[in-house]
Amino acid sequence: MAFVPTAIPWSPEHQTQRLQVTRKQLETEEQAAFPLGGASPRYLYLASKQNNKWGHPRGYRIQMIGAPGDPLPQSSPLDRAVSWGRYQLAVTQRKEIEPSSSSIFNQNDPWTPTVDFADFINNETIAGKDLVAWVTAGFLHIPHTEDIPNTVTVGNSVGFFLRPYNFFDEDPSINTADSIYFWEDQDAGSCEVNSLACLQQVAACAPDLPAFSHRGFSP
């Protein structure tokens, strides 16, 4: 995203800063490796060579939620065993010899690790290749008294979304079997237009449960 100076139509002598989307195709693994804590694109998506009917490249957007804590200093002798922690996101060529970012054997000998993820990023081209997106997600939790008797999940969620981005020609959920679509000039209360309008007439599965209590407490 970039702010572009733009003249105001009704007052040409004044300018405003208009937010504009700027697009850049990343060509190499080095360009597509984003260190933890550094700048990253607002929108980052993996695009294919195929276009949707609107002419946009079909792809998937990677949307990250939360960020892990600080990585080990690269001066640490243990850094190579967890070098994946340097990056919040890295995109590399897919290779059979690079199946995972780490190894269970790294914990046994972290000083000479079996897998050093940093070696995956060697400035190879990613344009037009099969790709792997390596996403690091996590958060720092310092225990506090509200963790007793259990730690709440609100505010502690992490992960990422892999969202269709121009992949479909329209919202695919409108084609689900239980969707209802009608025009503004149609009667939404008509059974022929809206099948849910007659649900009360056909539904007979509501259970008739007896009164329930437990140790003097009733629901």
Side-chain angles (χ1 to χ4, degrees):
M1 308 297 292
F3 286 97
V4 179
T6 305
I8 300 177
W10 59 87
S11 183
E13 67 275 11
H14 297 101
Q15 286 189 336
T16 184
Q17 300 293 325
R18 185 178 63 182
L19 197 60
Q20 186 179 76
V21 176
T22 59
R23 294 178 174 86
K24 178 182 179 181
Q25 180 173 325
L26 306 179
E27 301 286 348
T28 66
E29 293 176 337
E30 294 287 346
Q31 293 176 351
F34 301 98
L36 192 66
S40 60
R42 177 75 62 88
Y43 283 80
L44 190 147
Y45 77 103
L46 309 180
S48 69
K49 295 180 179 180
Q50 298 179 348
N51 293 340
N52 61 17
K53 76 174 185 179
W54 309 106
H56 300 290
R58 298 179 185 271
Y60 281 87
R61 176 191 174 193
I62 299 176
Q63 185 175 354
M64 292 172 287
I65 304 173
D70 295 333
L72 278 175
Q74 294 189 27
S75 59
S76 169
L78 304 178
D79 168 70
R80 291 181 57 214
V82 289
S83 59
W84 49 265
R86 302 177 189 173
Y87 307 95
Q88 55 184 329
L89 173 67
V91 179
T92 65
Q93 276 194 36
R94 183 190 180 280
K95 298 179 180 178
E96 294 292 340
I97 60 175
E98 297 175 353
S100 60
S101 61
S102 185
S103 168
I104 59 173
F105 301 109
N106 281 18
Q107 64 182 346
N108 300 331
D109 188 5
W111 300 276
T112 54
T114 304
V115 176
D116 184 355
F117 177 74
D119 292 339
F120 293 8
I121 305 171
N122 51 10
N123 214 33
E124 292 182 312
T125 181
I126 58 176
K129 303 293 184 178
D130 291 335
L131 303 177
V132 178
W134 309 88
V135 182
T136 303
F139 67 95
L140 175 65
H141 177 75
I142 300 176
H144 48 88
T145 55
E146 288 78 12
D147 290 331
I148 303 172
N150 62 279
T151 301
V152 298
T153 58
V154 176
N156 291 332
S157 60
V158 297
F160 68 94
F161 289 113
L162 190 63
R163 303 177 56 181
Y165 197 82
N166 292 324
F167 187 87
F168 300 101
D169 295 332
E170 59 185 2
D171 179 7
S173 67
I174 65 173
N175 296 315
T176 55
D178 59 348
S179 63
I180 298 172
Y181 185 82
F182 51 88
W183 296 96
E184 60 182 4
D185 58 348
Q186 292 179 305
D187 182 12
S190 170
C191 298
E192 290 76 15
V193 176
N194 180 6
S195 58
L196 292 182
C198 301
L199 188 61
Q200 295 181 354
Q201 302 175 18
V202 299
C205 59
D208 184 14
L209 300 176
F212 171 78
S213 64
H214 178 69
R215 294 186 179 181
F217 292 94
S218 299

